[in-house]
Amino acid sequence: MKILSIIWYIASILILYLAFRGTIRYRFINLNIKNIFGSIKSKSKNNIKPLSSLCISLAAKIGVGSLSGIGLAIYYGGIGTIFWLMIVSVFISINTYIETITGMKYREKVDNKYYGGPSYYIRKCLGNKILSIIYSILIIISYGLLFLSIQVNTIVTVTTNMNIGSYYVVIILMITIMIIIRKGIKSITRVNSFLVPIMLLFYFGIGIYIIILNYHIIPKILLDMIREAFNIRSIIPIFLLGMQRAIFITESSVGTSAISASSCDNEPDKQAMLEVLGIYI
């Protein structure tokens, strides 16, 4: 576990360093609210719409990581972790901007369909075929086995508490997923374009409802959050925990945004700004 922690810290520091360089290089473009929201109006030249591509990206970001992950952050580091989580999320969004543009620049077109992402620009830009293969294998294992198993386990746990048999739930999930992915990216895009907006409505709706119910303690919560975030005795572990949660939740620097964005024939800059919007959401 210590080795994994060391790797996490090294990777996190590198991601922050790249975010700092990228922010200076692109003159704080990830904070340009006008351009971020203006990218919503952009249009694609193929069947994959820019907003549909964003929905695929958001489908991966909104879920277990951004709910239970926050709970774990507060449990282990206190409420101060949320302050650094928000700051780091906005800061590292420049990495998502850069990886999206790079992914679209080095993507390939096969049978009128675009394919791109880190495995493509690692091979073409860096000229390292072995590293691109390693990345492809790792991302398949991460999503195909690890991330999805967490999602499924959460669903099964919740439904089991509702006296629904776990085997039935797993079978229904398997059949549903098979139907969705069987026809490829168009089918996945269509389903996500329908489900993700509904997810967002529930997500924000419940959040606003909770805030309204507890409006009288919101000022105290915000003050406690800032006070704990800058507690001299524990600021370093709180910051590191918030930083790691931010990277995990936003998937910034992981490369998944570049993969989904590459399928859309939009202007690279505008599509990249849409992916930054996904981080803000």
Side-chain angles (χ1 to χ4, degrees):
M1 291 300 292
K2 287 185 178 180
I3 294 174
L4 289 176
S5 298
I6 293 170
I7 293 172
W8 238 121
Y9 290 136
I10 293 172
S12 300
I13 290 168
L14 286 173
I15 288 170
L16 277 182
Y17 170 70
L18 291 172
F20 176 76
R21 287 193 59 180
T23 300
I24 301 300
R25 170 70 176 79
Y26 288 93
R27 299 178 182 178
F28 296 88
I29 195 170
N30 53 322
L31 301 178
N32 192 322
I33 302 300
K34 182 180 179 181
N35 284 353
I36 290 172
F37 283 95
S39 62
I40 295 174
K41 299 179 182 179
S42 59
K43 296 181 180 179
S44 175
K45 298 175 184 177
N46 65 359
N47 294 327
I48 308 297
K49 297 178 181 179
L51 285 176
S52 298
S53 176
L54 176 62
C55 284
I56 295 176
S57 180
L58 283 173
K61 292 179 175 66
I62 301 169
V64 174
S66 54
L67 289 173
S68 61
I70 300 295
L72 286 171
I74 295 172
Y75 179 79
Y76 286 110
I79 195 173
T81 56
I82 306 304
F83 176 84
W84 293 118
L85 188 152
M86 292 189 291
I87 297 299
V88 173
S89 292
V90 172
F91 185 60
I92 64 174
S93 63
I94 190 66
N95 292 347
T96 295
Y97 177 85
I98 294 169
E99 67 188 15
T100 300
I101 287 183
T102 311
M104 296 185 77
K105 181 179 180 180
Y106 292 99
R107 63 186 176 181
E108 293 180 0
K109 191 175 184 179
V110 181
D111 297 329
N112 293 320
K113 295 179 182 178
Y114 284 106
Y115 300 91
S119 56
Y120 287 83
Y121 59 70
I122 289 171
R123 176 167 55 86
K124 290 184 175 183
C125 184
L126 300 180
N128 196 326
K129 187 177 180 180
I130 295 175
L131 188 59
S132 70
I133 293 171
I134 292 172
Y135 175 85
S136 300
I137 293 170
L138 288 176
I139 205 71
I140 289 170
I141 293 172
S142 296
Y143 271 86
L145 296 176
L146 303 179
F147 292 170
L148 286 181
S149 63
I150 295 172
Q151 303 279 358
V152 172
N153 179 68
T154 304
I155 294 170
V156 170
T157 301
V158 172
T159 51
T160 301
N161 292 335
M162 297 167 62
N163 295 321
I164 300 175
S166 57
Y167 290 108
Y168 297 114
V169 176
V170 171
I171 291 170
I172 291 170
L173 284 172
M174 286 175 62
I175 294 172
T176 304
I177 293 169
M178 184 182 70
I179 293 171
I180 293 171
I181 68 174
R182 186 169 57 89
K183 294 184 179 180
I185 188 67
K186 287 185 179 180
S187 176
I188 296 170
T189 302
R190 194 180 304 115
V191 172
N192 278 304
S193 298
F194 173 75
L195 288 179
V196 170
I198 296 173
M199 287 167 57
L200 284 176
L201 284 174
F202 275 101
Y203 204 78
F204 283 109
I206 293 170
I208 292 168
Y209 176 69
I210 292 170
I211 289 172
I212 292 171
L213 283 181
N214 299 278
Y215 73 92
H216 54 288
I217 59 171
I218 298 300
K220 182 181 182 302
I221 290 172
L222 294 175
L223 285 172
D224 288 345
M225 182 172 68
I226 295 171
R227 191 183 297 115
E228 285 193 30
F230 291 95
N231 187 331
I232 301 299
R233 295 180 179 178
S234 57
I235 187 171
I236 294 176
I238 287 175
F239 171 77
L240 291 173
L241 186 57
M243 175 181 65
Q244 290 176 350
R245 288 294 96 192
I247 294 168
F248 179 75
I249 291 168
T250 63
E251 297 188 6
S252 188
S253 309
V254 177
T256 50
S257 295
I259 296 172
S260 59
S262 295
S263 64
C264 177
D265 195 11
N266 188 13
E267 293 179 34
D269 179 67
K270 291 183 178 179
Q271 190 63 35
M273 292 305 281
L274 263 182
E275 293 299 329
V276 172
L277 175 62
I279 301 293
Y280 277 78
I281 292 173

